[in-house]
PDB file of all heavy atoms in Angstrom:
ATOM      1  N   GLY A 402       3.708  -7.617  19.947  1.00 97.00           N
ATOM      2  CA  GLY A 402       3.377  -8.822  20.702  1.00 97.00           C
ATOM      3  C   GLY A 402       3.165 -10.005  19.771  1.00 97.00           C
ATOM      4  O   GLY A 402       3.628  -9.990  18.631  1.00 97.00           O
ATOM      5  N   ARG A 403       2.492 -10.989  20.263  1.00 97.00           N
ATOM      6  CA  ARG A 403       2.216 -12.178  19.475  1.00 97.00           C
ATOM      7  C   ARG A 403       0.709 -12.337  19.357  1.00 97.00           C
ATOM      8  O   ARG A 403       0.002 -12.380  20.344  1.00 97.00           O
ATOM      9  CB  ARG A 403       2.846 -13.396  20.138  1.00 97.00           C
ATOM     10  CG  ARG A 403       4.296 -13.126  20.538  1.00 97.00           C
ATOM     11  CD  ARG A 403       4.914 -14.313  21.236  1.00 97.00           C
ATOM     12  NE  ARG A 403       5.036 -15.455  20.333  1.00 97.00           N
ATOM     13  CZ  ARG A 403       5.754 -16.528  20.613  1.00 97.00           C
ATOM     14  NH1 ARG A 403       6.386 -16.625  21.767  1.00 97.00           N
ATOM     15  NH2 ARG A 403       5.826 -17.512  19.755  1.00 97.00           N
ATOM     16  N   PHE A 404       0.234 -12.445  18.139  1.00 98.00           N
ATOM     17  CA  PHE A 404      -1.214 -12.395  17.913  1.00 98.00           C
ATOM     18  C   PHE A 404      -1.740 -13.579  17.127  1.00 98.00           C
ATOM     19  O   PHE A 404      -2.935 -13.720  16.956  1.00 98.00           O
ATOM     20  CB  PHE A 404      -1.577 -11.098  17.187  1.00 98.00           C
ATOM     21  CG  PHE A 404      -1.096  -9.866  17.902  1.00 98.00           C
ATOM     22  CD1 PHE A 404       0.106  -9.253  17.550  1.00 98.00           C
ATOM     23  CD2 PHE A 404      -1.828  -9.345  18.968  1.00 98.00           C
ATOM     24  CE1 PHE A 404       0.547  -8.122  18.212  1.00 98.00           C
ATOM     25  CE2 PHE A 404      -1.387  -8.214  19.630  1.00 98.00           C
ATOM     26  CZ  PHE A 404      -0.189  -7.609  19.259  1.00 98.00           C
ATOM     27  N   GLY A 405      -0.884 -14.427  16.625  1.00 97.00           N
ATOM     28  CA  GLY A 405      -1.333 -15.497  15.742  1.00 97.00           C
ATOM     29  C   GLY A 405      -1.296 -16.868  16.394  1.00 97.00           C
ATOM     30  O   GLY A 405      -0.853 -17.024  17.530  1.00 97.00           O
ATOM     31  N   THR A 406      -1.794 -17.825  15.661  1.00 96.00           N
ATOM     32  CA  THR A 406      -1.739 -19.214  16.096  1.00 96.00           C
ATOM     33  C   THR A 406      -0.886 -19.980  15.098  1.00 96.00           C
ATOM     34  O   THR A 406      -1.186 -19.991  13.900  1.00 96.00           O
ATOM     35  CB  THR A 406      -3.152 -19.825  16.132  1.00 96.00           C
ATOM     36  OG1 THR A 406      -3.983 -19.004  16.942  1.00 96.00           O
ATOM     37  CG2 THR A 406      -3.097 -21.238  16.684  1.00 96.00           C
ATOM     38  N   THR A 407       0.174 -20.565  15.619  1.00 94.00           N
ATOM     39  CA  THR A 407       1.106 -21.267  14.742  1.00 94.00           C
ATOM     40  C   THR A 407       0.389 -22.347  13.934  1.00 94.00           C
ATOM     41  O   THR A 407      -0.367 -23.135  14.493  1.00 94.00           O
ATOM     42  CB  THR A 407       2.229 -21.915  15.561  1.00 94.00           C
ATOM     43  OG1 THR A 407       2.824 -20.906  16.359  1.00 94.00           O
ATOM     44  CG2 THR A 407       3.265 -22.534  14.656  1.00 94.00           C
ATOM     45  N   GLY A 408       0.648 -22.342  12.654  1.00 95.00           N
ATOM     46  CA  GLY A 408       0.044 -23.356  11.799  1.00 95.00           C
ATOM     47  C   GLY A 408      -1.355 -23.008  11.345  1.00 95.00           C
ATOM     48  O   GLY A 408      -1.924 -23.689  10.496  1.00 95.00           O
ATOM     49  N   VAL A 409      -1.911 -21.941  11.866  1.00 97.00           N
ATOM     50  CA  VAL A 409      -3.293 -21.596  11.529  1.00 97.00           C
ATOM     51  C   VAL A 409      -3.376 -20.206  10.916  1.00 97.00           C
ATOM     52  O   VAL A 409      -3.865 -20.023   9.807  1.00 97.00           O
ATOM     53  CB  VAL A 409      -4.202 -21.653  12.781  1.00 97.00           C
ATOM     54  CG1 VAL A 409      -5.612 -21.212  12.411  1.00 97.00           C
ATOM     55  CG2 VAL A 409      -4.205 -23.068  13.343  1.00 97.00           C
ATOM     56  N   GLY A 410      -2.888 -19.208  11.640  1.00 98.00           N
ATOM     57  CA  GLY A 410      -2.996 -17.847  11.164  1.00 98.00           C
ATOM     58  C   GLY A 410      -3.532 -16.954  12.262  1.00 98.00           C
ATOM     59  O   GLY A 410      -3.223 -17.168  13.445  1.00 98.00           O
ATOM     60  N   TYR A 411      -4.307 -15.963  11.885  1.00 98.00           N
ATOM     61  CA  TYR A 411      -4.838 -15.003  12.856  1.00 98.00           C
ATOM     62  C   TYR A 411      -6.362 -15.066  12.878  1.00 98.00           C
ATOM     63  O   TYR A 411      -6.998 -15.195  11.831  1.00 98.00           O
ATOM     64  CB  TYR A 411      -4.385 -13.583  12.497  1.00 98.00           C
ATOM     65  CG  TYR A 411      -2.893 -13.430  12.371  1.00 98.00           C
ATOM     66  CD1 TYR A 411      -2.260 -13.637  11.154  1.00 98.00           C
ATOM     67  CD2 TYR A 411      -2.115 -13.103  13.473  1.00 98.00           C
ATOM     68  CE1 TYR A 411      -0.877 -13.515  11.035  1.00 98.00           C
ATOM     69  CE2 TYR A 411      -0.737 -12.975  13.361  1.00 98.00           C
ATOM     70  CZ  TYR A 411      -0.122 -13.190  12.140  1.00 98.00           C
ATOM     71  OH  TYR A 411       1.238 -13.075  12.019  1.00 98.00           O
ATOM     72  N   ARG A 412      -6.919 -14.954  14.063  1.00 98.00           N
ATOM     73  CA  ARG A 412      -8.378 -14.831  14.179  1.00 98.00           C
ATOM     74  C   ARG A 412      -8.737 -13.387  13.856  1.00 98.00           C
ATOM     75  O   ARG A 412      -8.237 -12.461  14.500  1.00 98.00           O
ATOM     76  CB  ARG A 412      -8.835 -15.204  15.585  1.00 98.00           C
ATOM     77  CG  ARG A 412      -8.692 -16.695  15.897  1.00 98.00           C
ATOM     78  CD  ARG A 412      -9.384 -17.052  17.213  1.00 98.00           C
ATOM     79  NE  ARG A 412     -10.767 -16.562  17.256  1.00 98.00           N
ATOM     80  CZ  ARG A 412     -11.817 -17.267  16.845  1.00 98.00           C
ATOM     81  NH1 ARG A 412     -11.652 -18.496  16.384  1.00 98.00           N
ATOM     82  NH2 ARG A 412     -13.024 -16.747  16.907  1.00 98.00           N
ATOM     83  N   VAL A 413      -9.569 -13.194  12.863  1.00 98.00           N
ATOM     84  CA  VAL A 413      -9.863 -11.861  12.345  1.00 98.00           C
ATOM     85  C   VAL A 413     -10.340 -10.913  13.439  1.00 98.00           C
ATOM     86  O   VAL A 413      -9.824  -9.808  13.603  1.00 98.00           O
ATOM     87  CB  VAL A 413     -10.914 -11.942  11.211  1.00 98.00           C
ATOM     88  CG1 VAL A 413     -11.404 -10.552  10.812  1.00 98.00           C
ATOM     89  CG2 VAL A 413     -10.314 -12.661  10.010  1.00 98.00           C
ATOM     90  N   ALA A 414     -11.320 -11.357  14.212  1.00 98.00           N
ATOM     91  CA  ALA A 414     -11.894 -10.471  15.223  1.00 98.00           C
ATOM     92  C   ALA A 414     -10.867 -10.105  16.286  1.00 98.00           C
ATOM     93  O   ALA A 414     -10.770  -8.956  16.706  1.00 98.00           O
ATOM     94  CB  ALA A 414     -13.115 -11.137  15.869  1.00 98.00           C
ATOM     95  N   ASP A 415     -10.084 -11.094  16.714  1.00 98.00           N
ATOM     96  CA  ASP A 415      -9.117 -10.839  17.771  1.00 98.00           C
ATOM     97  C   ASP A 415      -8.023  -9.895  17.306  1.00 98.00           C
ATOM     98  O   ASP A 415      -7.638  -8.961  18.018  1.00 98.00           O
ATOM     99  CB  ASP A 415      -8.480 -12.165  18.232  1.00 98.00           C
ATOM    100  CG  ASP A 415      -9.494 -13.061  18.935  1.00 98.00           C
ATOM    101  OD1 ASP A 415     -10.607 -12.589  19.217  1.00 98.00           O
ATOM    102  OD2 ASP A 415      -9.164 -14.233  19.192  1.00 98.00           O
ATOM    103  N   LEU A 416      -7.515 -10.143  16.103  1.00 98.00           N
ATOM    104  CA  LEU A 416      -6.440  -9.285  15.615  1.00 98.00           C
ATOM    105  C   LEU A 416      -6.941  -7.862  15.397  1.00 98.00           C
ATOM    106  O   LEU A 416      -6.239  -6.893  15.725  1.00 98.00           O
ATOM    107  CB  LEU A 416      -5.854  -9.853  14.316  1.00 98.00           C
ATOM    108  CG  LEU A 416      -4.644  -9.096  13.772  1.00 98.00           C
ATOM    109  CD1 LEU A 416      -3.539  -8.981  14.814  1.00 98.00           C
ATOM    110  CD2 LEU A 416      -4.101  -9.762  12.506  1.00 98.00           C
ATOM    111  N   ALA A 417      -8.155  -7.733  14.906  1.00 98.00           N
ATOM    112  CA  ALA A 417      -8.717  -6.391  14.714  1.00 98.00           C
ATOM    113  C   ALA A 417      -8.796  -5.660  16.049  1.00 98.00           C
ATOM    114  O   ALA A 417      -8.417  -4.489  16.151  1.00 98.00           O
ATOM    115  CB  ALA A 417     -10.098  -6.479  14.063  1.00 98.00           C
ATOM    116  N   ALA A 418      -9.256  -6.361  17.054  1.00 98.00           N
ATOM    117  CA  ALA A 418      -9.363  -5.724  18.372  1.00 98.00           C
ATOM    118  C   ALA A 418      -7.982  -5.343  18.901  1.00 98.00           C
ATOM    119  O   ALA A 418      -7.804  -4.268  19.489  1.00 98.00           O
ATOM    120  CB  ALA A 418     -10.071  -6.666  19.346  1.00 98.00           C
ATOM    121  N   SER A 419      -7.006  -6.209  18.688  1.00 98.00           N
ATOM    122  CA  SER A 419      -5.655  -5.917  19.155  1.00 98.00           C
ATOM    123  C   SER A 419      -5.084  -4.682  18.466  1.00 98.00           C
ATOM    124  O   SER A 419      -4.477  -3.818  19.105  1.00 98.00           O
ATOM    125  CB  SER A 419      -4.738  -7.121  18.902  1.00 98.00           C
ATOM    126  OG  SER A 419      -5.180  -8.241  19.643  1.00 98.00           O
ATOM    127  N   ILE A 420      -5.273  -4.615  17.171  1.00 98.00           N
ATOM    128  CA  ILE A 420      -4.725  -3.468  16.434  1.00 98.00           C
ATOM    129  C   ILE A 420      -5.427  -2.186  16.842  1.00 98.00           C
ATOM    130  O   ILE A 420      -4.799  -1.138  17.006  1.00 98.00           O
ATOM    131  CB  ILE A 420      -4.827  -3.696  14.907  1.00 98.00           C
ATOM    132  CG1 ILE A 420      -3.922  -4.857  14.493  1.00 98.00           C
ATOM    133  CG2 ILE A 420      -4.439  -2.424  14.145  1.00 98.00           C
ATOM    134  CD1 ILE A 420      -3.940  -5.174  13.010  1.00 98.00           C
TER     135      ILE A 420
END
Side-chain angles (χ1 to χ4, degrees):
Chain A
R403 312 178 66 167
F404 305 96
T406 306
T407 306
V409 177
Y411 305 90
R412 290 190 51 91
V413 171
D415 293 350
L416 185 55
S419 297
I420 294 180

